[in-house]
Amino acid sequence: YHYLTAPADESVAGRAPSDVAEHFLLDTAAECLDFAARFTPCDARLHNNLGLVLERISKKDPKPDLRREEEGDDSLHVRIVSSYETALRLHRVSETSGCDVRFDCDSTLLNYGLYLANLDDFAGASDVLSEVSGPVGGDPSDPRHQRVVADATRLLRFCERQN
């Protein structure tokens, strides 16, 4: 299901749909990803994508301070953090088993760190971003991975200066 939601998410980014249409697309994407996570709970990329979509929903919500709402089990903030934490836990298990998921793990760390930094949780973001390690056994010349590591390093430096 998470592959089906990518075109909907891209159409939101590529055009300026009405707020109603954008909310519909984002809500539908979140529902699809949440549904898929129930059937494939060990797909770390799915949980990362769910965190990204929920984060976009939090930015579109008309409540002025939604991301700092009471942190009940169903709050959007708790769901976003849980999605990123689940993705990272699954990536770590995969790495321990010998799988090369470093790019995916570093991408999730960057997404999670950026989310925390946007909430002005610079200490939390620094903790998360300090785990980015770059290619280990993979292709060190992969430009996508180099970009993720460079972006995470810059954001980490910024967060450290804010503390």
Side-chain angles (χ1 to χ4, degrees), residues 35-144:
F35 184 74
R38 291 185 191 134
F39 289 98
T40 55
C42 295
D43 186 339
R45 288 183 294 171
L46 188 151
H47 291 282
N48 179 52
N49 289 335
L50 179 58
L52 289 169
V53 169
L54 292 172
E55 191 175 342
R56 288 201 45 198
I57 290 171
S58 77
K59 292 176 183 174
K60 294 290 180 189
D61 198 288
K63 291 181 184 176
D65 206 15
L66 176 68
R67 290 169 286 176
R68 297 196 188 280
E69 69 187 21
E70 281 190 39
E71 295 188 8
D73 288 342
D74 292 332
S75 79
L76 205 44
H77 173 73
V78 169
R79 290 180 65 202
I80 293 166
V81 169
S82 176
S83 294
Y84 287 133
E85 292 283 341
T86 299
L88 291 171
R89 193 170 40 257
L90 292 168
H91 285 312
R92 289 179 186 121
V93 167
S94 296
E95 280 184 317
T96 302
S97 301
C99 298
D100 181 12
V101 293
R102 192 72 246 162
F103 171 72
D104 292 327
C105 187
D106 285 347
S107 295
T108 300
L109 288 165
L110 176 58
N111 293 336
Y112 188 20
L114 184 58
Y115 171 70
L116 294 173
N118 284 332
L119 294 176
D120 296 334
D121 181 2
F122 299 112
S126 293
D127 288 344
V128 168
L129 294 165
S130 66
E131 295 182 44
V132 173
S133 64
V136 178
D139 181 5
S141 65
D142 179 1
R144 294 177 313 139

Side-chain angles (χ1 to χ4, degrees), residues 103 107 110 142-154:
F103 171 72
S107 295
L110 176 58
D142 179 1
R144 294 177 313 139
H145 203 166
Q146 288 176 350
R147 172 85 189 258
V148 166
V149 172
D151 289 349
T153 301
R154 279 192 297 276

